[in-house]
Amino acid sequence: MNKTLCAISGAVALASTFFSAAPALADGEVNIYSYRQPFLIQPLLDAFTEKTGIKTNVVFSSKGLGQRIAAEGENSPADVMMTVDIGRLDGARDLGIAAPIESTVVSTNIPAEFRDPDGMWVGLTSRARVIYASKDRVDQTAITYEELADPKWKGRICTRSGQHDYTIGLIASMIAHHGEADTEKWLEAVRDNLARKPAGNDRAQVKSIYAGECDIALGNTYYMGKMETNDKEPEQKEWAASVRILFPNSEDRGSHVNLSGVVLMKHAPNKDNALKLIEFLTSHDAQEIYAETNFEYPVTPGVAVSDRVKAWGTLKPDSMPLSDVAKYRKAASEMVDRVRFDDGPAT
């Protein structure tokens, strides 16, 4: 059995075990399949239950949930799917598991650029793909994504796999802005500027800067907050203190952002409760919880970022709709393989 099928089977077993204790059709419940780790969303779900009295049941898996829901079909207990990355949000449509979210509350709370044009998903928070730069070895205070191809960075860049959703999203945005031919030349140059083969998660890139293995790295903004407040692993606070965030392209089109979001399931057994949950997640109160606990950027107008996030600098987000960027994700993935990005420099 391949890894994907194993992951799906694991989600199947987990879902079966969890929901056997709480029938999906029971009143006052909503069943959530989540790619987001439970500790990240639990404060929101607790607030929702306190406000509405509706119980939340959560199944978490890092992969395979969309395929699981598609396989369950009309018998799926899932009411909503919570996930990160525009690829997974858009992928729910491709799998045929999404239903239109028809709510004036949602359309009022969330600007159009953070909603699917057909209502098949709604963004809940954004995060920027930024540059972590060594405080000791990088003097400049501004940068562009295009500049990552400059030979001055040769042997100085770290990043995670080119096939990770976060990297694919950035490359897709570059294709959207510059076309495939120019983006491929750029990606080859970035590959040759890498300090090592792509590896690890975003925090690992900051650790590499701290260790002197590279000087700059690509990463999502909220990881800085997670490291700065990590009392269980205090060494991560030292990693974070060794870098500062640079927001790419702040002086022109703005930094690439991605979304966390929610999808209403086509066969949701508790549709009314699912809509109540989605509406709550777009509310001012819920967006404040997101901002304070997850160090993400609220997408509901009028909700401020946390003081910690504000201290990193001002984000000017790229105004290109993510639904347009998502069109180039397949081309981005193919490009990563074509240039052998994950083989690292001197390929």
Side-chain angles (χ1 to χ4, degrees), residues 39-48 50 125 226 280-281 283-296 298 303-304 306:
F39 75 90
L40 291 175
I41 61 173
Q42 197 58 52
L44 292 150
L45 302 183
D46 289 344
F48 171 70
E50 182 177 354
T125 63
K226 297 299 182 186
F280 172 78
L281 293 174
S283 70
H284 192 282
D285 289 348
Q287 291 281 301
E288 281 189 335
I289 295 173
Y290 268 123
E292 291 296 332
T293 61
N294 291 344
F295 312 110
E296 295 175 296
V303 181
S306 71

Side-chain angles (χ1 to χ4, degrees), residues 91-170:
R93 174 209 296 276
D94 298 337
L95 287 168
I97 61 175
I101 298 170
E102 298 173 346
S103 166
T104 56
V105 172
V106 171
S107 59
T108 299
N109 285 344
I110 305 297
E113 61 264 33
F114 300 124
R115 291 184 276 115
D116 176 67
D118 298 319
M120 293 301 186
W121 52 260
V122 171
L124 298 175
T125 63
S126 67
R127 65 283 300 278
R129 198 72 180 153
V130 296
I131 304 299
Y132 287 113
S134 169
K135 289 180 179 177
D136 294 333
R137 301 184 299 277
V138 178
D139 294 329
Q140 67 188 66
T141 57
I143 199 168
T144 66
Y145 297 116
E146 290 78 4
E147 187 188 326
L148 298 179
D150 191 311
K152 75 177 183 180
W153 295 115
K154 190 171 182 63
R156 301 175 69 189
I157 301 175
C158 286
T159 187
R160 70 194 306 163
S161 170
Q163 288 294 356
H164 190 275
D165 287 336
Y166 300 157
T167 314
I168 292 296
L170 173 59

